[in-house]
Amino acid sequence: MEYSATCKCGDIKIIASFPSSIEEYQARECDCDFCISHGLAYLSDVNGTIAFSPKSHMNQLKQGSEQATFWQCSRCKQVVVVTSTKNGETRGAVSKTVFEKDFSLKASVNVSPKRFSPKDKAERWPTVWSKVISMVSEC
Ligand SMILES: [Zn+2]
């Protein structure tokens, strides 16, 4: 199933392709200060893909252990996607807030990644995050 959405101002387009209906996923809510301040919870499926563009209109934020990149619209400041690249493969998750205005999503679950070491987190992501593919209409 393919789902598309935009950031609040419409500049950034996000496409998520998940094997199941997006309404069946529970977003994972992180309890670190960065994610709480941005109101972030993440949706992904290990067998799904995520694409977003244009990257030229986005800020790349780093936080915590700096292994992940948070993609923020440079205009409306909404964080829409988080990604991490390891061994040449980029995986990521979409922010729940991007899709919750158009879809009735389940309540988030708290995953408290603070309990995981940076190494544990990096090893866990490939088991839950979707593959990030680039979008054709890069401008
Ligand atoms: Zn925006």
Side-chain angles (χ1 to χ4, degrees), residues 75-128:
R75 190 148 72 142
C76 70
K77 309 294 182 207
Q78 185 177 14
V79 173
V80 294
V81 175
V82 58
T83 65
S84 177
T85 302
K86 203 182 166 195
N87 303 328
E89 185 182 60
T90 303
R91 289 195 164 263
V94 294
S95 168
K96 181 188 184 186
T97 54
V98 172
F99 288 95
E100 70 186 351
K101 58 182 185 292
D102 295 325
F103 302 98
S104 50
L105 301 175
K106 288 187 176 177
S108 304
V109 282
N110 192 295
V111 291
S112 197
K114 274 193 287 202
R115 286 177 296 151
F116 297 103
S117 71
K119 182 171 172 287
D120 286 347
K121 275 197 277 190
E123 281 171 5
R124 194 174 148 269
W125 286 331
T127 68
V128 286

Coordinates of all heavy atoms in Angstrom, one line a residue, residues 75-128:
R75 N 11.1 25.4 5.7 CA 10.1 26.4 5.8 C 9.2 26.3 7.0 O 9.2 27.2 7.8 CB 9.3 26.4 4.5 CG 8.4 27.7 4.4 CD 8.2 28.1 3.0 NE 7.3 27.2 2.3 CZ 6.3 27.6 1.5 NH1 6.2 28.9 1.2 NH2 5.6 26.7 0.9
C76 N 8.6 25.1 7.1 CA 7.6 25.0 8.3 C 8.2 24.3 9.5 O 7.6 24.2 10.5 CB 6.4 24.3 7.8 SG 6.6 22.5 7.5
K77 N 9.5 23.9 9.4 CA 10.2 23.3 10.5 C 9.7 22.0 11.0 O 10.0 21.6 12.1 CB 10.4 24.3 11.7 CG 10.9 25.7 11.3 CD 12.3 25.6 10.9 CE 12.8 27.0 10.5 NZ 13.9 27.0 9.5
Q78 N 8.8 21.4 10.2 CA 8.3 20.1 10.7 C 9.4 19.0 10.3 O 10.0 19.0 9.3 CB 7.0 19.7 9.9 CG 6.4 18.4 10.5 CD 5.1 18.1 9.8 OE1 4.7 18.7 8.8 NE2 4.4 17.2 10.4
V79 N 9.7 18.1 11.3 CA 10.6 17.0 11.1 C 9.7 15.9 10.5 O 8.7 15.5 11.1 CB 11.2 16.5 12.4 CG1 12.0 15.2 12.1 CG2 12.2 17.6 12.9
V80 N 10.0 15.4 9.3 CA 9.2 14.5 8.6 C 9.7 13.0 8.5 O 8.9 12.1 8.5 CB 8.8 15.0 7.2 CG1 8.0 16.3 7.2 CG2 10.1 15.2 6.3
V81 N 11.0 12.9 8.5 CA 11.6 11.6 8.3 C 12.9 11.5 9.2 O 13.6 12.5 9.3 CB 12.0 11.3 6.8 CG1 12.7 10.0 6.6 CG2 10.7 11.3 6.0
V82 N 13.2 10.3 9.7 CA 14.5 10.1 10.3 C 15.2 9.0 9.5 O 14.6 8.0 9.1 CB 14.4 9.8 11.8 CG1 13.6 8.5 12.0 CG2 15.8 9.6 12.4
T83 N 16.5 9.1 9.2 CA 17.2 8.1 8.5 C 18.6 7.8 9.1 O 19.1 8.6 9.9 CB 17.5 8.6 7.0 OG1 18.4 9.7 7.0 CG2 16.2 8.9 6.3
S84 N 19.1 6.7 8.7 CA 20.5 6.3 9.2 C 21.1 5.4 8.1 O 20.4 4.6 7.5 CB 20.4 5.5 10.5 OG 21.7 5.1 10.8
T85 N 22.3 5.7 7.7 CA 23.0 5.0 6.7 C 24.1 4.1 7.3 O 24.9 4.5 8.0 CB 23.6 5.9 5.6 OG1 22.5 6.7 5.1 CG2 24.2 5.2 4.5
K86 N 24.0 2.8 6.9 CA 25.0 1.9 7.4 C 25.3 0.9 6.3 O 24.4 0.4 5.6 CB 24.4 1.1 8.6 CG 25.4 0.5 9.5 CD 24.8 -0.2 10.7 CE 25.8 -1.1 11.4 NZ 25.1 -2.1 12.2
N87 N 26.6 0.7 6.1 CA 27.1 -0.2 5.0 C 26.4 0.1 3.7 O 26.0 -0.8 2.9 CB 26.8 -1.7 5.4 CG 27.4 -2.1 6.7 OD1 28.4 -1.6 7.1 ND2 26.7 -3.0 7.4
G88 N 26.3 1.4 3.4 CA 25.8 1.8 2.1 C 24.3 1.8 2.0 O 23.8 2.1 0.9
E89 N 23.6 1.3 3.0 CA 22.2 1.2 2.9 C 21.5 2.2 3.8 O 21.9 2.3 5.0 CB 21.7 -0.2 3.2 CG 20.2 -0.4 3.0 CD 19.7 -1.7 3.4 OE1 19.8 -2.1 4.6 OE2 19.2 -2.4 2.5
T90 N 20.6 3.0 3.3 CA 19.9 4.0 4.1 C 18.5 3.4 4.5 O 17.7 3.0 3.6 CB 19.7 5.3 3.4 OG1 21.0 5.8 3.0 CG2 19.1 6.3 4.2
R91 N 18.3 3.5 5.8 CA 16.9 3.0 6.3 C 16.4 4.2 7.1 O 17.1 5.0 7.6 CB 17.1 1.8 7.1 CG 17.4 0.6 6.3 CD 17.2 -0.8 7.0 NE 17.1 -1.8 6.0 CZ 16.0 -2.3 5.5 NH1 14.8 -1.9 5.9 NH2 16.0 -3.3 4.6
G92 N 15.0 4.2 7.2 CA 14.4 5.3 7.9 C 13.0 5.0 8.4 O 12.5 3.9 8.1
A93 N 12.4 6.0 9.0 CA 11.1 5.9 9.5 C 10.4 7.3 9.3 O 11.1 8.3 9.3 CB 11.0 5.6 11.0
V94 N 9.1 7.3 9.0 CA 8.4 8.6 8.8 C 7.8 9.0 10.1 O 7.4 8.2 11.0 CB 7.3 8.5 7.7 CG1 7.9 8.2 6.4 CG2 6.3 7.4 8.1
S95 N 7.7 10.4 10.2 CA 7.0 10.9 11.4 C 5.5 10.7 11.4 O 4.9 10.9 10.4 CB 7.3 12.4 11.5 OG 6.5 13.0 12.5
K96 N 5.0 10.2 12.5 CA 3.5 10.0 12.6 C 2.7 11.2 12.3 O 1.7 11.2 11.6 CB 3.2 9.5 14.0 CG 1.8 9.1 14.2 CD 1.6 8.9 15.7 CE 0.1 8.4 15.9 NZ -0.2 8.3 17.4
T97 N 3.2 12.4 12.7 CA 2.5 13.6 12.5 C 2.2 13.9 11.0 O 1.2 14.6 10.7 CB 3.2 14.8 13.1 OG1 4.5 14.9 12.6 CG2 3.3 14.7 14.6
V98 N 3.1 13.4 10.1 CA 2.9 13.7 8.7 C 1.6 13.0 8.2 O 0.9 13.5 7.3 CB 4.1 13.2 7.9 CG1 3.9 13.3 6.5 CG2 5.3 14.0 8.3
F99 N 1.4 11.8 8.8 CA 0.3 11.0 8.2 C -1.0 11.0 9.1 O -2.1 10.7 8.6 CB 0.7 9.5 8.1 CG 1.7 9.3 6.9 CD1 3.1 9.4 7.1 CD2 1.2 9.2 5.6 CE1 3.9 9.2 6.1 CE2 2.1 9.0 4.6 CZ 3.5 9.1 4.8
E100 N -0.9 11.5 10.3 CA -2.1 11.4 11.2 C -3.2 12.4 10.8 O -4.3 12.2 11.2 CB -1.7 11.5 12.7 CG -1.3 12.9 13.1 CD -0.8 12.8 14.6 OE1 -0.9 11.8 15.3 OE2 -0.2 13.8 15.0
K101 N -2.9 13.4 10.0 CA -4.0 14.3 9.6 C -4.9 13.7 8.6 O -6.0 14.0 8.4 CB -3.4 15.7 9.2 CG -2.5 15.6 8.0 CD -2.0 17.1 7.7 CE -1.1 17.2 6.5 NZ 0.2 16.5 6.7
D102 N -4.3 12.7 7.8 CA -5.1 12.1 6.7 C -5.6 10.7 7.1 O -6.4 10.1 6.4 CB -4.3 12.0 5.4 CG -4.0 13.4 4.9 OD1 -4.9 14.3 5.0 OD2 -2.9 13.6 4.4
F103 N -5.0 10.0 8.0 CA -5.3 8.7 8.4 C -5.6 8.5 9.8 O -5.0 9.2 10.7 CB -4.1 7.7 8.0 CG -3.8 7.8 6.5 CD1 -2.7 8.6 6.1 CD2 -4.5 7.2 5.5 CE1 -2.4 8.8 4.7 CE2 -4.2 7.3 4.2 CZ -3.1 8.1 3.8
S104 N -6.5 7.6 10.2 CA -6.7 7.4 11.6 C -5.7 6.3 12.1 O -5.9 5.1 12.0 CB -8.2 6.9 11.8 OG -8.5 5.9 11.0
L105 N -4.7 6.8 12.7 CA -3.6 6.0 13.2 C -3.8 5.5 14.6 O -4.4 6.2 15.4 CB -2.3 6.7 13.0 CG -1.9 7.2 11.6 CD1 -0.7 8.0 11.6 CD2 -1.8 6.0 10.7
K106 N -3.2 4.4 14.9 CA -3.3 3.8 16.3 C -2.5 4.7 17.3 O -1.6 5.5 16.8 CB -2.8 2.4 16.3 CG -3.6 1.4 15.6 CD -3.1 0.0 15.9 CE -4.1 -1.0 15.3 NZ -3.6 -2.4 15.4
A107 N -2.8 4.5 18.5 CA -2.0 5.2 19.6 C -0.5 4.7 19.5 O -0.3 3.6 19.1 CB -2.5 4.9 20.9
S108 N 0.4 5.6 19.8 CA 1.8 5.2 19.7 C 2.2 4.4 20.9 O 1.6 4.4 21.9 CB 2.6 6.5 19.7 OG 2.3 7.4 18.7
V109 N 3.3 3.6 20.7 CA 3.9 2.9 21.8 C 5.2 3.6 22.2 O 5.9 4.0 21.3 CB 4.1 1.4 21.5 CG1 2.9 0.6 21.6 CG2 4.8 1.2 20.2
N110 N 5.5 3.6 23.5 CA 6.7 4.2 23.9 C 7.8 3.2 23.9 O 7.7 2.1 24.5 CB 6.5 4.8 25.4 CG 7.7 5.6 25.7 OD1 8.8 5.1 25.8 ND2 7.5 6.9 25.9
V111 N 8.9 3.5 23.2 CA 10.0 2.5 23.1 C 11.2 2.8 23.9 O 12.1 2.0 24.1 CB 10.5 2.3 21.6 CG1 9.4 1.6 20.8 CG2 10.8 3.6 21.0
S112 N 11.2 4.0 24.5 CA 12.3 4.5 25.4 C 13.7 4.0 24.9 O 14.4 3.3 25.6 CB 12.1 3.9 26.8 OG 12.8 4.6 27.7
P113 N 14.2 4.5 23.8 CA 15.5 4.1 23.3 C 16.6 4.6 24.2 O 17.8 4.1 24.0 CB 15.6 4.8 21.9 CG 14.2 5.3 21.6 CD 13.5 5.5 22.9
K114 N 16.4 5.4 25.1 CA 17.4 5.8 26.0 C 18.1 4.6 26.7 O 19.2 4.7 27.1 CB 16.9 6.8 27.1 CG 16.9 8.2 26.7 CD 16.6 9.2 27.8 CE 15.2 9.2 28.3 NZ 14.8 10.4 29.0
R115 N 17.3 3.6 26.9 CA 17.8 2.4 27.5 C 18.7 1.6 26.6 O 19.5 0.7 27.1 CB 16.6 1.5 27.9 CG 15.8 2.0 29.1 CD 14.6 1.1 29.4 NE 13.7 1.1 28.3 CZ 12.9 0.1 27.9 NH1 12.9 -1.0 28.6 NH2 12.1 0.2 26.9
F116 N 18.7 1.9 25.3 CA 19.6 1.2 24.4 C 20.9 2.0 24.3 O 20.9 3.2 24.2 CB 19.0 1.1 23.1 CG 17.7 0.2 23.0 CD1 16.5 0.8 23.0 CD2 17.8 -1.2 23.1 CE1 15.3 0.1 22.9 CE2 16.7 -1.9 23.1 CZ 15.4 -1.3 23.0
S117 N 22.0 1.3 24.1 CA 23.3 2.0 23.9 C 23.3 2.4 22.4 O 22.5 1.8 21.6 CB 24.5 1.0 24.1 OG 24.5 0.0 23.1
P118 N 24.2 3.4 22.0 CA 24.2 3.7 20.6 C 24.4 2.5 19.7 O 23.9 2.4 18.6 CB 25.4 4.7 20.5 CG 25.5 5.3 21.9 CD 25.0 4.2 22.8
K119 N 25.2 1.6 20.1 CA 25.5 0.4 19.3 C 24.2 -0.5 19.2 O 23.9 -0.9 18.1 CB 26.6 -0.4 19.9 CG 27.0 -1.7 19.2 CD 28.3 -2.3 19.7 CE 28.6 -3.6 19.1 NZ 27.7 -4.7 19.5
D120 N 23.5 -0.7 20.3 CA 22.3 -1.4 20.2 C 21.3 -0.8 19.3 O 20.6 -1.4 18.5 CB 21.7 -1.5 21.6 CG 22.4 -2.5 22.5 OD1 23.3 -3.2 22.0 OD2 22.2 -2.5 23.7
K121 N 21.2 0.6 19.4 CA 20.2 1.3 18.5 C 20.6 1.1 17.0 O 19.7 0.8 16.3 CB 20.3 2.8 18.8 CG 19.4 3.2 20.0 CD 19.1 4.6 20.0 CE 20.3 5.4 20.7 NZ 20.0 6.8 21.0
A122 N 21.8 1.2 16.7 CA 22.2 1.1 15.3 C 22.0 -0.3 14.8 O 21.7 -0.6 13.6 CB 23.7 1.4 15.1
E123 N 22.1 -1.3 15.7 CA 21.8 -2.7 15.3 C 20.3 -3.0 15.2 O 19.9 -3.9 14.5 CB 22.5 -3.7 16.3 CG 24.0 -3.8 15.9 CD 24.8 -4.6 17.0 OE1 24.1 -5.1 17.9 OE2 26.0 -4.6 16.8
R124 N 19.5 -2.2 15.9 CA 18.1 -2.5 16.0 C 17.4 -1.8 14.8 O 16.4 -2.4 14.3 CB 17.6 -1.8 17.3 CG 16.2 -2.3 17.6 CD 15.8 -1.7 19.0 NE 14.4 -1.4 19.1 CZ 13.9 -0.3 18.8 NH1 14.6 0.7 18.4 NH2 12.6 -0.1 18.8
W125 N 17.9 -0.7 14.3 CA 17.2 0.0 13.2 C 17.0 -0.8 12.0 O 15.9 -0.8 11.5 CB 18.0 1.3 12.9 CG 17.8 2.4 13.9 CD1 16.7 2.6 14.7 CD2 18.8 3.4 14.2 NE1 17.0 3.7 15.5 CE2 18.2 4.2 15.2 CE3 20.0 3.7 13.7 CZ2 18.9 5.3 15.7 CZ3 20.7 4.8 14.2 CH2 20.1 5.6 15.2
P126 N 18.0 -1.6 11.5 CA 17.7 -2.4 10.3 C 16.6 -3.4 10.5 O 16.1 -3.9 9.5 CB 19.1 -3.0 10.0 CG 20.1 -2.2 10.8 CD 19.4 -1.7 12.0
T127 N 16.3 -3.7 11.7 CA 15.2 -4.7 11.9 C 13.8 -4.1 11.9 O 12.8 -4.8 11.9 CB 15.4 -5.5 13.2 OG1 15.3 -4.6 14.3 CG2 16.8 -6.1 13.3
V128 N 13.7 -2.8 12.1 CA 12.4 -2.1 12.1 C 12.2 -1.0 11.1 O 11.1 -0.8 10.7 CB 12.1 -1.5 13.5 CG1 11.8 -2.6 14.5 CG2 13.2 -0.6 14.0

